[in-house]
Amino acid sequence: MPDWTYHPLSPALVAVLGRGRAHRAALHALATLSSTRAGRGVVRFLSHHPPVPDDLRGRFGAVVPVEHAADAVRALPALGAGVVEVGPVAAADADAVRRAAEGRTCTLVVRAADAAAARACAPFADRVVVGPVPGHVHLDDPAPGAALDALADPGSTVLATPALLVRSGPGWFQRVVEASTPTGSPAPLRSVGRDPRRWPAWLWGLLVGLGMVGAGLGAALITLGPLLLWYDRAYLGMDRTQLGDLNDRLVPFLQHDRITMAGTMVAIGVLYAGLAWGGMRAGWPWARTALAVSGMLSFPTLLYFLVIGFVEPLHTAVTVVLFPMFLLAVLGRPAAPAWSLRPDVDEGVRRRSLVGQLLMVATGLGMLAGGVVISLVGLSDVFVPSDLVFLGVHADELREASERVVPFVAHDRAGFGGALVGAALAVLLLSAWGWRAGERWVWWTLALSAAAGFLPAVVVHLLIGYTDVLHLAPVLVGVVLTAVALVLARPYLCAATARVAARTR
């Protein structure tokens, strides 16, 4: 389990199971998940830590008592541990050591209590030592800086104690790996030449984000102005006035759909620009993955027209222009690590921010569910019951009045659902992977994208009088969750003191 579930949810688990059993249950659950290749992939996907540096490989892990050895050997390597020390071990514990050693993917070191225990465990372990293991440093301080200080001695192997892991959470390994990764400085914009063939991947990602912002603002201006362009009028066979004559609430209904869609497009643009400038430019591998996952599921929503039957030229043009840039962003050469970290952060501040992180992840999951539902509605029934109450008409009446009005609305509705899926995935992955002390760009990206996505949706509903409580409830819940999350996370993500580089090349 990542830190954003471990710390916020562990008090409830401790209250139910008791402290010892709760911690054992968490370790066993992680070990069970990590026992298969697919499960290890899930763990690595959730943590998404950079590769362990060569000078750290084999010198970094944990020390555990023998009763937890089997679970620790299966669980901890997926988090970044390369060494697990088990001890003290008696001769009677040899069978437990044998079970722990089966299928291991890390170095197993046994700290034997005596010579008899050493002989009994020797066939199963990579190394057996009687008494303290030379060069092994057992660390109780959860600050990554303490681990870096110990690792400065090339002959040392730094091992987290159970007390450290309980206090810090499973993300400790990732924080140490990131703090120990050699880094440079992010490339300034002025370093980019004029030849687009040499532009870095992060610049293409930034252009995609700015392009989405521009497209969203353009869509908003069209909606607040003529609403219908020439191709809309040609498809419908009527203009704005005739739409109003058909149903006096149809024009504001279309405006509410399109303003919400435009706000979501701007939100996506802010998220993509933030991921590119703040994440990809600094060499964070997870930022590219977040951009790729979001874009690969949102750009293809253009193909909704195969079901709906209405092809919007501007939507198509935006996709045709931005999608190649998106491919250059996710397929181009990644930037070298260039992040800066604050290795030592007040633990209370960090834990409060983890509650905010959990709330942001929950918001992203809620948005994702909403986007899927809205897409399905747009591709099938088109209207939800509250829509028809607002319009004061049945969908069949609209179909009888014009065979193209409902498909026209369906295009807007399904397109909004697809855009919401893209925004949700970007929020979800940015929140799950980007939470680090001093990374103020994460806070500002989430805050600005939330303002762009939520505020127009709320305001337009109020302006047109579409105030059904159940219809607005998901948006209002999202606003509250995001606001609380950002308040809790601000002292951590927007640390006032200057960040310091972990290590420089």
Side-chain angles (χ1 to χ4, degrees), residues 256 455-468 472 476:
H256 114 278
L455 291 182
V458 173
V459 171
V460 74
H461 279 84
L462 295 177
L463 288 178
I464 69 171
Y466 191 171
T467 55
D468 182 87
L472 284 173
L476 298 178

Side-chain angles (χ1 to χ4, degrees), residues 151-471:
L151 288 165
D153 178 1
S156 67
T157 298
V158 176
L159 303 175
T161 63
L164 183 155
L165 293 178
V166 167
R167 179 182 175 189
S168 182
W172 180 81
F173 296 98
Q174 177 183 352
R175 291 193 295 277
V176 174
V177 168
E178 291 173 352
S180 65
T181 300
T183 63
S185 299
L189 188 60
R190 64 177 178 273
S191 68
V192 178
R194 296 184 178 182
D195 187 353
R197 294 173 298 178
R198 299 181 181 275
W199 285 357
W202 62 262
L203 180 57
W204 290 112
L206 178 62
L207 291 176
V208 173
L210 296 178
M212 289 294 293
V213 171
L217 293 176
L221 290 175
I222 293 171
T223 302
L224 296 174
L227 180 63
L228 301 179
L229 296 179
W230 72 94
Y231 55 80
D232 295 320
R233 295 191 294 270
Y235 176 80
L236 288 169
M238 60 181 74
D239 58 20
R240 177 171 175 161
T241 302
Q242 290 170 312
L243 276 179
D245 293 338
L246 181 64
N247 182 290
D248 61 354
R249 289 195 170 186
L250 191 54
V251 168
F253 183 82
L254 289 172
Q255 288 178 318
H256 114 278
D257 258 358
R258 292 193 163 192
I259 284 293
T260 305
M261 170 70 166
T264 304
M265 291 173 64
V266 173
I268 293 176
V270 171
L271 290 162
Y272 285 8
L275 285 169
W277 179 260
M280 293 174 62
R281 189 173 67 99
W284 288 114
W286 59 263
R288 174 194 293 261
T289 304
L291 180 66
V293 171
S294 173
M296 290 306 292
L297 289 178
S298 59
F299 275 111
T301 58
L302 171 68
L303 300 179
Y304 283 170
F305 77 85
L306 296 174
V307 178
I308 297 168
F310 173 52
V311 181
E312 185 180 33
L314 281 184
H315 186 181
T316 304
V318 168
T319 302
V320 168
V321 170
L322 295 184
F323 188 65
M325 297 183 186
F326 167 76
L327 291 179
L328 290 170
V330 299
L331 299 178
R333 185 177 179 179
W339 57 74
S340 296
L341 297 172
R342 296 180 61 231
D344 303 320
V345 180
D346 180 78
E347 189 65 12
V349 171
R350 186 178 78 90
R351 291 199 183 191
R352 285 190 293 274
S353 80
L354 291 175
V355 177
Q357 186 178 12
L358 178 60
L359 294 177
M360 280 308 309
V361 170
T363 301
L365 289 172
M367 291 170 58
L368 181 59
V372 171
V373 170
I374 292 169
S375 294
L376 293 175
V377 169
L379 296 172
S380 55
D381 295 332
V382 183
F383 299 103
V384 295
S386 58
D387 294 336
L388 298 175
V389 171
F390 173 77
L391 291 169
V393 68
H394 194 276
D396 290 339
E397 296 178 55
L398 289 177
R399 291 187 177 95
E400 291 173 2
S402 171
E403 63 179 10
R404 291 193 169 183
V405 166
V406 173
F408 187 79
V409 174
H411 169 269
D412 290 350
R413 181 61 53 88
F416 167 56
L420 188 57
V421 167
L425 288 169
V427 169
L428 174 61
L429 298 180
L430 173 59
S431 300
W433 294 338
W435 232 248
R436 288 165 183 83
E439 294 288 87
R440 62 180 62 243
W441 72 268
V442 173
W443 192 92
W444 281 105
T445 298
L446 291 171
L448 293 176
S449 64
F454 287 134
L455 291 182
V458 173
V459 171
V460 74
H461 279 84
L462 295 177
L463 288 178
I464 69 171
Y466 191 171
T467 55
D468 182 87
V469 174
L470 292 179
H471 182 77

Side-chain angles (χ1 to χ4, degrees), residues 61-90:
V63 54
V64 297
V66 67
E67 60 267 27
H68 302 320
D71 283 341
V73 168
R74 285 159 180 75
L76 301 184
L79 301 176
V83 181
V84 174
E85 177 188 316
V86 179
V89 176

